[in-house]
Amino acid sequence: MRKVPETTDKLPRKAPDTTTRFSRRLAEATAKLSRAALATGAAAGKAVAVSWPAPPYYDYAEPRTAASTEYCLLTFMDQTTRTGALLQFSPNEATLTFRQEGAGSGTRIAFDSLMSVELLRPVQLKRESLPGSVADRFSAESESQPFTVEFVNGEVVEGRTVGHVKALCGLFLFLPRESSGVMRHFVPSHVVRSHAAGKPIGEMLMERNLVTPESVDSALREQLLLRNHRLGEYLTENRIVSHEQLSTALERQRSQPGQKLGETLVGLGYLSAAELQQVLEVERRDRAVPLGRILTDMGVLEPDALDSVMAKKLGIPMVKLAGLEIAPDILKRMPAAVAYRYHAIPLAESDLSLVVAVEDPMNAAKMDELRFAVGAKLVPAMASASDIGQALKKNYGARDGWGMSLTSPDNASRTAELPPWRSTNVDVAVEELTARLSAESADLELNEKHAEQSDTTLVKLVNKIILDAVAQNASDIHIEANPGEKGTRIRFRKDGALVHYLDLPARFRRAVVSRLKIMSQLDITERRRPQDGKIEFSKFGPARVELRVATVPTTDGLEDVVMRVLSGAKPLPIDQIGFDPVALATLKQLMARPHGLFLVCGPTGSGKTTTLHSLLGHLNTDERKIWTAEDPIEISQPGLRQVQVNAKIGWTFAAAMRSFMRADPDVIMVGEMRDAETAKIGVEASLTGHLVLSTLHTNSAAESVVRLLDLGMDPFNFADALLGVLSQRLVRRLCPHCRQAYSAPQAELAALASEYCVDSQADADAVLGAWRVQQGGSDGGISLYRAKGCGACDQTGYKGRMGVYEFLVADAPLKSLVQRRAPISEIHAAAQANGMRTLKQDGIGRVLQGLTDIHHVRMVY
């Protein structure tokens, strides 16, 4: 066994032929089993076919059947070995079932107890067949490449492999036999420190006399300088060492050229050995500029020659695209926007896969993202950047704004654009994380074990979903798991409407839900009953945001998750929440009263909390003491004394208000009057010299008055305390950048005026005449606005929301009606006689101002 060189600042040497640990153990294990058993796979007990991945560009010549048995050699963490039958191999559960020779039943073994799994029967591989239209354009690639695996215990194993598969569970290798076939090996991920495949590129270039040893030596020194520069940048940017300490270490290193930068930092006491190891792990994941690129930049190597050698090294064929005619149905497999974004070109179909030419097939993140965007298994081929650029222009046409003109072979053009949510609302990173997770899991279903791990791609993906929701001002996140093979849909509620965000493969659904349960401290094993929780996201990511989490069981044992995003919104000034001048002046007069009860009502999500905090912001001065009881605290304001209620421990709205009464308040805000006790204490507080603000879940202002009377309020005390009721809704605002004016026809205006006069004494003709006068003359037309769509509003035609209001002021006639428990209709009529506009009337007023359209007004009332 040969150790991997610790530095790269020496000329590469051709490695002598070595026998790997795998090969020696296989020979010993095979000798222990009878030749008949290995030849036929016969064994006592029921046999189960073992699913084992094939290397890239290969498939198994003869698939195994359920009637055969795979024999294997297991090597455990303590270096002991066992030989027997592999009955089941379950990477998604990180376990296998094994029956030792002579035993009657199988034993379940976890991967974390193993160093390696080696199947003892050789198998034949066959090349994936490529269509003749492109097969003759593929250069010959190497049949096998050297590999190196470094274990966490420091042991290093070398050999040759016909490709390899890197999955979340571990590394699959395929060692060629001298006679024929390959031997299959699996190394769990927990024992692999690093791995590499293919000869060093410098060695291959020198073997072909493409570069001189002196050029490689110079390039290696340049690579080492770049790597040290990258390492230094990482150390200083993350404040692991200071700039002064780094300068000292680099100066010391100049006098000791044989010593690496990390070793120098440890020697000076600036880093511990453990800290250096962590930093080097990061460096391994993000190496410096490749040696081949340095050689081409130096002008000593032609790019085409480098591409050819890289194809040999990686075992991935090189293809020449000039003059290649690609079938129209193949081009349709990859939209133009995707092809240009990833600088890739589809070439042909091979079995169920799509052959794709890319410049760097070893860029795993990019390839995984491309696979996710296309929605198919990809077979990569290498091509030069110039060839790909020419092929894109020839087959897809030139870029054009957000999309590209796609020219088909029959000379018909069409425009292929990404959907708006993919183009603007979703950062590419979330697709990249999803694709990376797909690659890491190797088409296996993720489970709760993956959700419990930290700093994994799954964790980063869940965090990214939440961060995107916050960045896009979404109020809710909906995660909807579908049965069978249908994907998991994720949607955001933005401006009151649900918009598509992302589709996840079905196999991620349990892991994503489990991860969210872990973050909100819920039971991940309970899937039959709904659960409620809370996530303090600052513990998991960079945003200070809280999420209320609700899980709901659905069909087939699945669960949906809905999260309300409480992102610490800021209160709007009272002058900016959309009141007309008369209503605003009246509202300020009521807020100037030293005592009384003011209510804001409306359904969930109608903006009641925002309005209350705007009123509190108006009242929040140094002369006033303001207490609030909220569940949860969605908006924070300096100067307020805000309390989070918790009914589970008896800290209810009513209990909080009783405490406030003993804490010398001027203003009390209670989140909701949901029961008789809270309402009674609120009325009593308003009658004893305090201004009380609260909310109710009712549909209209008049209904709020009757609802409180129905809760048992004394009508005389309630009438004395009541200042007013504000009922409100939120409607979508037309995008100011693209809204489109039109002259409304007479029939539409007449219908609008009639709708305005419903439940009132107003005359429709008089109302319509008043509208014409407001817009410039009694005979003139009236202009309304409709949604159009542009980049600023994600092609929806709407941007943001605004409030529509129904403002009931408790004057003397109305208080009299309250005292005698008048019905809703009488209270409503009295309020209108006092100048109240209904929600529908206020909404139609916003339509006439060009701020919204009647469709969205009708949706909320």
Side-chain angles (χ1 to χ4, degrees):
M1 189 185 322
R2 185 170 63 87
K3 294 291 183 181
V4 176
E6 296 184 357
T7 63
T8 58
D9 55 353
K10 296 185 176 72
L11 289 177
R13 295 180 293 110
K14 184 172 182 179
D17 292 334
T18 60
T19 301
T20 70
R21 180 187 67 176
F22 293 148
S23 301
R24 292 195 301 269
R25 286 181 180 170
L26 283 175
E28 297 169 359
T30 306
K32 296 179 181 179
L33 294 172
S34 67
R35 294 183 177 226
L38 286 176
T40 64
K46 183 179 179 181
V48 180
V50 174
S51 177
W52 202 273
Y57 272 96
Y58 287 93
D59 199 356
Y60 294 114
E62 298 179 2
R64 297 285 282 164
T65 64
S68 61
T69 297
E70 291 286 3
Y71 283 92
C72 68
L73 170 67
L74 304 184
T75 303
F76 291 85
M77 294 296 292
D78 60 1
Q79 300 298 319
T80 60
T81 61
R82 295 183 194 172
T83 306
L86 182 63
L87 303 182
Q88 191 173 23
F89 188 74
S90 306
N92 59 321
E93 299 177 3
T95 62
L96 57 83
T97 304
F98 172 81
R99 184 180 64 241
Q100 193 165 1
E101 280 296 295
S105 60
T107 303
R108 197 174 179 84
I109 299 174
F111 284 178
D112 56 14
S113 65
L114 296 171
M115 285 284 287
S116 64
V117 179
E118 303 161 49
L119 302 187
L120 302 183
R121 192 182 70 89
V123 293
Q124 299 292 331
L125 296 177
K126 63 177 182 179
R127 280 281 182 186
E128 289 196 17
S129 59
L130 295 173
S133 59
V134 297
D136 56 350
R137 291 179 175 268
F138 279 61
S139 63
E141 65 279 349
S142 59
E143 293 293 324
S144 65
Q145 307 87 36
F147 75 87
T148 303
V149 177
E150 182 184 3
F151 290 81
V152 292
N153 62 3
E155 185 179 359
V156 176
V157 170
E158 295 179 314
R160 298 190 69 84
T161 179
V162 181
H164 68 281
V165 175
K166 179 68 174 70
L168 185 66
C169 56
L171 181 66
F172 294 86
L173 298 169
F174 306 86
L175 277 62
R177 284 169 41 109
E178 291 184 3
S179 54
S180 64
V182 298
M183 307 302 293
R184 292 160 290 168
H185 302 260
F186 170 69
V187 183
S189 56
H190 72 94
V191 298
V192 178
R193 176 175 294 166
S194 65
H195 74 278
K199 283 184 180 181
I201 187 65
E203 182 179 336
M204 296 182 67
L205 292 170
M206 288 189 296
E207 286 177 352
R208 296 186 173 204
N209 296 319
L210 295 173
V211 295
T212 64
E214 292 76 19
S215 298
V216 175
D217 191 21
S218 177
L220 285 170
R221 284 195 294 269
E222 178 67 19
Q223 187 183 51
L224 182 60
L225 290 174
L226 291 170
R227 188 167 298 166
N228 280 342
H229 178 68
R230 184 185 295 272
L231 177 61
E233 281 185 346
Y234 177 83
L235 291 168
T236 53
E237 288 175 0
N238 290 273
R239 300 182 180 180
I240 299 172
V241 300
S242 67
H243 288 281
E244 292 77 12
Q245 290 173 331
L246 178 61
S247 298
T248 302
L250 289 171
E251 187 64 32
R252 171 74 64 85
Q253 194 186 22
R254 290 189 187 97
S255 62
Q256 299 176 351
Q259 191 175 49
K260 293 184 289 185
L261 176 61
E263 295 171 350
T264 303
L265 289 165
V266 172
L268 290 171
Y270 298 154
L271 277 179
S272 68
E275 289 172 332
L276 175 61
Q277 185 60 38
Q278 292 177 357
V279 172
L280 291 178
E281 287 295 330
V282 175
E283 187 195 15
R284 285 191 184 98
R285 294 195 296 268
D286 187 17
R287 288 293 188 185
V289 180
L291 181 67
R293 188 182 303 173
I294 295 175
L295 288 166
T296 55
D297 291 343
M298 292 169 58
V300 300
L301 180 65
E302 291 296 326
D304 288 346
L306 174 63
D307 291 340
S308 176
V309 174
M310 287 299 297
K312 289 289 183 181
K313 170 181 170 63
L314 302 176
I316 296 176
M318 188 80 182
V319 61
K320 297 297 183 182
L321 300 178
L324 176 63
E325 295 297 329
I326 304 174
D329 58 331
I330 299 299
L331 291 172
K332 292 178 182 178
R333 294 286 304 273
M334 184 181 294
V338 175
Y340 267 101
R341 177 186 291 180
Y342 299 106
H343 206 64
I345 192 80
L347 301 178
E349 285 183 307
S350 172
D351 297 330
L352 300 178
S353 304
L354 184 66
V355 182
V356 178
V358 292
E359 184 182 358
D360 182 12
M362 298 308 292
N363 186 333
K366 182 177 177 180
M367 291 301 300
D368 294 339
E369 189 177 339
L370 177 60
R371 179 166 67 121
F372 179 73
V374 175
K377 179 184 175 183
L378 300 182
V379 177
M382 290 182 64
S384 67
S386 59
D387 268 9
I388 294 175
Q390 292 292 337
L392 287 172
K393 291 179 182 179
K394 173 185 175 182
N395 293 282
Y396 288 111
R399 288 174 178 255
D400 180 20
W402 286 20
M404 300 91 194
S405 174
L406 176 61
T407 304
S408 59
D410 59 359
N411 295 322
S413 297
R414 64 182 177 89
T415 299
E417 294 185 354
L418 288 178
W421 68 268
R422 289 282 298 277
S423 301
T424 58
N425 291 339
V426 178
D427 194 294
V428 174
V430 77
E431 295 179 328
E432 180 180 343
L433 288 170
T434 307
R436 191 181 304 168
L437 186 61
S438 297
E440 290 177 356
S441 57
D443 298 327
L444 304 172
E445 182 167 344
L446 302 188
N447 53 32
E448 289 81 358
K449 180 176 180 180
H450 303 101
E452 293 171 352
Q453 299 171 3
S454 61
D455 196 28
T456 63
T457 304
L458 172 66
V459 171
K460 294 174 183 176
L461 175 62
V462 172
N463 288 353
K464 180 62 178 173
I465 292 169
I466 295 173
L467 289 172
D468 279 357
V470 174
Q472 297 176 30
N473 295 318
S475 61
D476 300 88
I477 304 171
H478 291 250
I479 298 176
E480 302 162 341
N482 295 305
E485 296 301 319
K486 291 186 65 178
T488 297
R489 181 171 64 169
I490 300 178
R491 296 190 288 173
F492 290 168
R493 186 174 294 280
K494 297 169 60 179
D495 295 336
L498 284 172
V499 296
H500 195 284
Y501 170 73
L502 186 67
D503 284 316
L504 288 175
R507 55 198 174 89
F508 298 160
R509 56 195 172 200
R510 294 200 186 278
V512 170
V513 172
S514 295
R515 177 60 190 170
L516 291 169
K517 284 184 175 181
I518 290 170
M519 295 171 72
S520 49
Q521 298 181 337
L522 300 178
D523 184 359
I524 64 173
T525 64
E526 178 56 73
R527 302 192 187 97
R528 299 169 298 174
R529 293 181 293 187
Q531 299 184 68
D532 295 320
K534 181 175 66 175
I535 295 176
E536 292 285 352
F537 188 68
S538 58
K539 299 177 181 178
F540 306 96
R544 296 185 61 84
V545 60
E546 181 179 309
L547 299 101
R548 284 190 295 181
V549 181
T551 68
V552 183
T554 57
T555 58
D556 293 344
L558 302 176
E559 295 174 280
D560 276 17
V561 180
V562 179
M563 296 181 284
R564 170 63 57 89
V565 182
L566 310 173
S567 55
K570 300 298 181 184
L572 292 172
I574 191 173
D575 298 329
Q576 297 180 17
I577 60 176
F579 292 111
D580 64 71
V582 175
L584 180 61
T586 304
L587 187 59
K588 288 183 177 180
Q589 290 175 3
L590 294 182
M591 291 299 101
R593 300 279 185 89
H595 56 81
L597 176 64
F598 187 83
L599 301 172
V600 180
C601 67
T604 300
S606 59
K608 300 186 297 296
T609 300
T610 301
T611 298
L612 278 180
H613 273 276
S614 294
L615 298 177
L616 291 176
H618 177 71
L619 295 168
N620 188 9
T621 62
D622 291 340
E623 294 79 23
R624 290 190 177 97
K625 180 65 174 283
I626 302 177
W627 286 98
T628 74
E630 303 172 72
D631 182 26
I633 298 174
E634 299 184 41
I635 300 175
S636 298
Q637 293 193 57
L640 304 187
R641 311 311 301 156
Q642 297 179 260
V643 171
Q644 169 77 55
V645 301
N646 187 350
K648 293 180 180 179
I649 61 173
W651 184 237
T652 61
F653 285 120
M657 290 186 69
R658 281 194 293 267
S659 297
F660 294 165
M661 294 294 289
R662 299 188 293 271
D664 189 28
D666 294 302
V667 180
I668 296 173
M669 190 273 274
V670 58
E672 182 183 350
M673 286 190 173
R674 60 178 62 166
D675 54 61
E677 184 181 10
T678 305
K680 181 179 179 182
I681 296 173
V683 171
E684 291 175 353
S686 63
L687 292 174
T688 55
H690 308 96
L691 182 61
V692 179
L693 311 179
S694 188
T695 71
L696 277 176
H697 286 284
T698 52
N699 293 322
S700 67
E703 184 182 333
S704 301
V705 175
V706 176
R707 172 72 62 84
L708 285 175
L709 291 173
D710 291 343
L711 285 176
M713 296 300 98
D714 179 88
F716 290 91
N717 288 342
F718 179 44
D720 288 343
L722 186 63
L723 297 176
V725 182
L726 182 70
S727 179
Q728 69 178 64
R729 302 289 191 276
L730 291 178
V731 297
R732 300 189 75 179
R733 185 189 294 266
L734 287 169
C735 175
H737 302 286
C738 66
R739 64 176 184 169
Q740 189 174 58
Y742 69 97
S743 181
Q746 178 62 32
E748 182 180 355
L749 292 174
L752 199 62
S754 298
E755 193 170 356
Y756 184 91
C757 297
V758 173
D759 295 331
S760 73
Q761 302 299 318
D763 178 72
D765 292 335
V767 167
L768 185 55
W771 292 350
R772 294 187 188 280
V773 171
Q774 291 173 3
Q775 291 214 3
S778 58
D779 297 328
I782 295 177
S783 293
L784 301 180
Y785 289 82
R786 60 167 64 99
K788 182 181 178 183
C790 66
C793 60
D794 299 339
Q795 305 297 329
T796 64
Y798 302 92
K799 190 172 182 65
R801 290 190 291 176
M802 62 185 300
V804 294
Y805 303 99
E806 182 177 277
F807 187 15
L808 179 151
V809 178
D811 59 357
L814 192 138
K815 287 178 182 286
S816 177
L817 292 175
V818 173
Q819 289 174 351
R820 65 181 180 84
R821 294 180 178 271
I824 293 176
S825 58
E826 291 188 30
I827 295 174
H828 182 81
Q832 280 197 305
N834 191 33
M836 181 188 79
R837 289 203 305 179
T838 66
L839 284 165
K840 179 64 71 66
Q841 289 172 341
D842 193 49
I844 292 176
R846 308 304 169 98
V847 172
L848 295 170
Q849 295 172 17
L851 300 177
T852 187
D853 55 31
I854 189 61
H855 168 69
H856 282 87
V857 173
R858 291 171 180 152
M859 285 179 63
V860 300
Y861 188 73

